[in-house]
């Protein structure tokens, strides 16, 4: 390998590096449609097959039902905790005895 071949390789590598940086710096952020590059472009309704659409709707319906059931369970649990806390407060109030000095207080 001669000296000129090495210089050509360095020149090619430098050119490719500068080109890649230029594309990454200028083209991608400002010119290219970033959503399409990321795969986030919106697909029309017609592109989804009918079977898949029905399956998606069934999954969404099932998730909503599960969320409602979970909300009901959480509400019941919260109500039960509230009742238990009220019971504890009633028991604590009944356990409190009057102060032995209460009769000497001036009202």
């Amino acid at each position: 390998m001669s000296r000129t071949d090495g210089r050509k390789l360095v020149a090619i590598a430098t050119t490719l590096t500068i080109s890649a940086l230029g594309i990454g710096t200028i083209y991608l952020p400002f010119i290219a449609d970033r959503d399409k590059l990321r795969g986030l472009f919106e697909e029309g309704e017609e592109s989804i097959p009918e079977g898949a659409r029905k399956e998606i709707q069934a999954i969404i319906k099932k998730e909503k039902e599960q969320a409602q059931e979970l909300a009901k369970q959480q509400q019941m649990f919260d109500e039960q905790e509230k009742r238990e806390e009220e019971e504890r407060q009633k028991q604590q109030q009944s356990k409190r005895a009057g102060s032995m000095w209460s009769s000497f207080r001036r009202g």
Side-chain angles (χ1 to χ4, degrees), residues 15-51:
T15 305
L16 290 175
T17 303
I18 291 172
S19 299
L21 289 174
I23 289 172
T25 305
I26 298 169
Y27 177 74
L28 292 178
F30 300 111
I31 299 171
D33 187 0
R34 286 180 257 162
D35 288 341
K36 285 187 179 178
L37 290 174
R38 293 181 188 145
L40 300 175
F41 56 94
E42 295 180 18
E43 296 178 356
E45 289 292 322
E46 63 276 350
S47 65
I48 300 174
E50 187 64 31

Side-chain angles (χ1 to χ4, degrees), residues 23-102:
I23 289 172
T25 305
I26 298 169
Y27 177 74
L28 292 178
F30 300 111
I31 299 171
D33 187 0
R34 286 180 257 162
D35 288 341
K36 285 187 179 178
L37 290 174
R38 293 181 188 145
L40 300 175
F41 56 94
E42 295 180 18
E43 296 178 356
E45 289 292 322
E46 63 276 350
S47 65
I48 300 174
E50 187 64 31
R53 185 178 298 127
K54 287 181 181 178
E55 189 173 331
I56 290 170
Q57 290 173 350
I59 291 171
I60 290 171
K61 183 179 178 182
K62 186 186 297 184
E63 287 177 353
K64 284 182 181 180
E65 290 172 357
Q66 288 175 348
Q68 289 175 350
E69 184 65 30
L70 184 63
K72 287 179 185 177
Q73 289 176 357
Q74 184 66 35
Q75 184 180 9
M76 289 172 45
F77 180 73
D78 291 343
E79 289 174 359
Q80 183 179 1
E81 280 187 340
K82 185 177 178 182
R83 277 189 249 118
E84 289 174 359
E85 183 62 30
E86 289 173 355
E87 289 287 329
R88 277 191 233 118
Q89 287 178 356
K90 286 179 183 177
Q91 289 176 357
Q92 287 178 355
Q93 287 176 355
S94 65
K95 286 182 182 178
R96 291 183 189 161
S99 170
M100 63 184 220
W101 303 106
S102 64

